[in-house]
Each structure stands twice: as structure tokens, then as C-alpha cells.
Amino acid sequence: MTASILFVDHTAMMGGAQHSLLDIAEANRARSAVVLFEDGPFARALEGRGVRVLRLDGGGSLRQLKKRSALPGLGALVATVRLARTLARVARPFDLLYANSPKSFVVAALAGRLAHMPVVWHLRDILGEGHFSRANVRAVVSLANWSAVRVVANSRATADAFVAAGGRASLVTVVHNGIDAAPFDALAPGTRAAVRAELGIPDDVFLVGCFSRLHPWKGQTVLLDAVARMPDVQALVVGGALFSGEAPYEAELRGRAQLPALAGRVHMLGARDDVPRLLTACDVVVHASVLAEPFGRVLVEAMLAGRPVVATRGGGVPEVVCDGETGVLVPPGDVRALREALDALRRDPARVAALARRGADHARARFSRESMLAGVHRVILEVAS
Ligand code: UDP
Ligand code: GLC
């Protein structure tokens, strides 16, 4: 018999962490539920998959806790403790709390202590390297050492950063993300041509795609700067400004796309829910993060769509993409290296096809949804027993 799990996330926006939890929660839905601290698209997506969602009003106070701020204010602390007490009450019928983000882990760690329940933290962030302030890293790592029974890391790099920050190595299990291949298998053969026709992009144009939420660390500006010097190339920029503070970056990108060097060659589509078919319209997919990417689901998705990836070397990316085998890695923030990598691929269709073929095989063999679910299941069984 499996444990009954109360999953917890602070946000109801759909980032990669939420896409991943969607699969995990669905697989465990018979005896589990998901607590969210706000309402939004993630809540509806979970319910659409038959997962019970409990909404606890606490998002407002948690939004005051910023990843890169120093210490939180007294108001945010009081609100966090209050939310933890409510979560402890809601959690009583369950065997296990399973937090999907640092903010929800803070609340779950306190709630777990209050309710005498084990807490698992699915860590999907690289703690450090510009993502979080030192004070925040110290706080969450101390909380983990004090109260988590297990930390599931989405990559070796994420695990190593946790340990480097003082986290106990014996807590950590690496479970790479896995992606359901079914939506890619279901794509009709004419999808590439259909999407290009919809977007008004001629079939013979070399199209480079980027599929990430719009945030400065995702590095879309680097891609646009590279494409600015490649006059025959067009760029597809997919993703929205999901979280607070990201709107000015979106405005900056849209402004840059209108500059004479790029005008008419950048297609900014905003957030979309048809990523697999949009991926097939591209010749190459670029993942340009300028800070260490913890995992990068979109890398696996591009490989499943049979598209080669040019990605920045950092974080978990080299665990997903083997340089020269299943994709090409370039240094982060290096416009010239990115341009040269894209140019080389443009001139070598045979290499593009070989990278894509090996990438598709690799993604199916190493990053299946089933293997991710099995990894999480093993952790839950160990904790529950
Ligand atoms: N995504 C999406 N629509 C968009 C842009 C991205 O559905 O417009 C999905 C994308 O397919 C991927 C996830 O959002 O599954 C992003 O996850 P990733 O791990 O690449 O990055 P994160 O945003 O979690 O840092
Ligand atoms: C986070 C990370 C991303 C990872 C995702 C799923 O959002 O930024 O790299 O793929 O979680 O684990």
C-alpha cells in the first residue's frame, strides 16, 4: 500500500516545477491531494487530471519572501508561522508532506514539526550562484537539515549545490525529471508545415526556438543578440512572464525585437500550452540560461520533438545534454559562441539530423516519465516504511 501524500506548492502558476508535480500528483491521486497557497492555472490543471486540490490562502504573505532578499520582515515571518499551523491541521489525515518549492518547504517544514509528520522536499533549484541570497540559502538548508526526512534533487548539480551550502548529503536522492513522450508521439507528420503556415514563417527559413518563461536568467536577450547578427535566421520566443517582477523584462525583449537589426524576424508568442507542436516548427532549440539551470525540462522536450539543442553549459544541463552527441553546449552569456554554434549547425544538416536522432533516443531512454515516477515512488516507500 502506498502512503497518502499531501503535496504542497506555493504557486499556482505553471513553471517547470509545477509541470513535473502534475505528473507526480496524478500518479498518486488515489490517496493524495495538493495544497496550493493561491488559485490559478496549476490548480485547474491538477483538477483536470483528477487530483484533489486544497487552496489555503497564504500566497500574499509568501510573496513578500523574495529569493534574493536578505532576511524576511516580521510580518512575513508571522504569516508563515500562521500558514504552517493551518497546514499542520489540514495535513493530519495524510502520512507525509511533500514540498515542491523552497517557499512551500519552509511552511511544510514547520507544519511537519507541529503535526509530527515526515517532510520530503523536492528540491528543483540550485541554491546559490545568483539565484538566492546567502541568508535565504542558509535558512532553507538549516531547515532541511533540521526537519526533512529526504531531499529529492532534480539533478546531480542541484544535489551538489545543496551539499555545498551545508545540506546533509545523506538526505539527498537525485531523481531526474522525466517527460511524457505521448504528446510528441501523437504529432501528425505535417505539423511542422502547419505551424509554420500559422506563424507566416516560410519553410526554408532557419528557425531557432527558445521555450522558457521570460526571466532575465533564462537568457533570451543573449539569443536575440546572436540572431541580430544572423540576417537570414528567425527566432521563435515562447513563454510568458509568469512571476511578479518579470513584466519589465518582457517589455525589454519586445522592445529589442522591434529594433532594426531584428524587426520582422522575432516571433514572440507569449505563454503557450502547445509546446510539442511549436517545437517541431524549429530547426534548432536554444536554451540560453545565464545562471546555472537546475535541470531544464525543455531540453528533454526538444529532444523528444527530434530537434537538436544548443544549450548553455551550467547546472544540470550537462547531465541532460551530452556535448557533441545529443546537442551542443556553449558558455553562458556568450553571444558569439552561440552564434557560431548556430551557424555551424545551419551549414551542416547531416549533423543536425544525427544530433536530433541521438537526442530523441537518449531522451526516451534516460528521461521518461515512468523512470521519474519510479524514483519518486522509491523515496516515498522508504520514507513511509
Ligand atoms: N512551457 C509551457 N509553455 C510556455 C513555455 C514553457 O508549457 O509557453 C513549459 C515547457 O514546455 C516546460 C516548462 O514550461 O515543460 C518549463 O520548464 P523548465 O524546466 O524548462 O524551466 P523552468 O521554467 O521550470 O525553470
Ligand atoms: C525548476 C528549474 C528547472 C527544472 C524544473 C523541474 O523550475 O528551474 O530547471 O527543470 O524545476 O524540476
Side-chain angles (χ1 to χ4, degrees):
M1 184 146 100
T2 56
S4 65
I5 308 158
L6 188 57
F7 297 99
V8 195
D9 208 330
H10 72 284
T11 180
M13 299 304 284
M14 286 301 300
Q18 290 68 43
H19 280 283
S20 176
L21 183 59
L22 197 53
D23 286 337
I24 297 170
E26 183 185 22
N28 289 282
R29 69 186 173 187
R31 301 192 59 215
S32 303
V34 178
V35 161
L36 300 178
F37 299 148
E38 62 180 18
D39 199 10
F42 185 33
R44 293 188 285 279
L46 286 161
E47 285 168 342
R49 300 248 199 126
V51 178
R52 188 152 67 99
V53 177
L54 309 168
R55 295 162 175 86
L56 291 192
D57 187 16
S61 52
L62 287 182
R63 268 194 289 277
Q64 296 170 34
L65 300 173
K66 296 285 178 211
K67 278 180 163 185
R68 284 192 272 192
S69 65
L71 289 174
L74 189 61
L77 280 181
V78 169
T80 302
V81 172
R82 197 171 292 150
L83 196 53
R85 284 166 62 179
T86 310
L87 180 62
R89 214 171 40 246
V90 170
R92 285 223 169 89
F94 296 87
D95 300 322
L96 173 70
L97 277 163
Y98 191 106
N100 197 51
S101 65
K103 283 185 185 179
S104 62
F105 172 65
V106 171
V107 180
L110 299 175
R113 280 293 165 138
L114 290 171
H116 307 290
M117 281 176 74
V119 180
V120 173
W121 180 14
H122 201 134
L123 174 57
R124 302 174 177 282
D125 293 276
I126 298 227
L127 297 174
E129 293 187 48
H131 286 290
F132 293 86
S133 71
R134 272 190 195 195
N136 280 342
V137 170
R138 256 200 308 271
V140 286
V141 167
S142 305
L143 265 184
N145 287 344
W146 175 64
S147 76
V149 289
R150 195 61 72 88
V151 173
V152 177
N154 63 359
S155 66
R156 184 78 258 158
T158 295
D160 289 347
F162 174 76
V163 174
R168 259 194 290 135
S170 60
L171 286 176
V172 186
T173 303
V174 175
V175 178
H176 283 130
N177 281 297
I179 310 284
D180 184 10
F184 297 88
D185 295 339
L187 291 172
T191 304
R192 173 190 156 98
V195 174
R196 284 198 175 220
E198 256 168 56
L199 300 173
I201 302 170
D203 209 44
D204 59 348
V205 161
F206 192 80
L207 183 65
V208 178
C210 178
F211 295 74
S212 291
R213 63 199 151 88
L214 303 182
H215 191 288
W217 76 264
K218 291 292 189 178
Q220 286 91 349
T221 49
V222 182
L223 172 63
L224 293 193
D225 288 351
V227 170
R229 303 275 293 275
M230 305 173 79
D232 311 328
V233 171
Q234 297 196 15
L236 193 61
V237 179
V238 178
L242 287 193
F243 300 110
S244 64
E246 294 178 1
Y249 179 63
E250 175 168 8
E252 182 194 335
L253 284 177
R254 289 192 183 278
R256 212 178 272 224
Q258 298 302 320
L259 294 174
L262 283 167
R265 297 196 290 121
V266 180
H267 308 264
M268 289 193 61
L269 305 190
R272 298 279 297 231
D273 57 12
D274 55 350
V275 165
R277 64 190 286 280
L278 294 173
L279 279 164
T280 63
C282 302
D283 292 298
V284 173
V285 174
V286 166
H287 191 65
S289 296
V290 293
L291 292 181
E293 178 73 47
F295 179 89
R297 285 170 54 91
V298 76
L299 301 166
V300 177
E301 292 166 350
M303 293 193 277
L304 287 173
R307 295 298 174 266
V309 181
V310 177
T312 48
R313 193 179 288 113
V317 173
E319 297 167 51
V320 184
V321 177
C322 314
D323 192 18
E325 280 289 310
T326 58
V328 176
L329 299 185
V330 294
D334 189 335
V335 174
R336 185 169 166 186
L338 177 58
R339 196 177 65 237
E340 286 173 359
L342 291 173
D343 253 334
L345 288 176
R346 188 160 57 140
R347 285 195 303 269
D348 195 348
R351 181 153 172 258
V352 165
L355 289 172
R357 205 174 40 248
R358 286 194 295 264
D361 291 345
H362 184 63
R364 277 163 205 275
R366 290 279 294 103
F367 302 107
S368 69
R369 181 175 62 164
E370 291 66 34
S371 63
M372 173 188 71
L373 292 176
V376 170
H377 192 62
R378 268 194 299 276
V379 171
I380 288 167
L381 280 184
E382 282 166 27
V383 170
S385 65

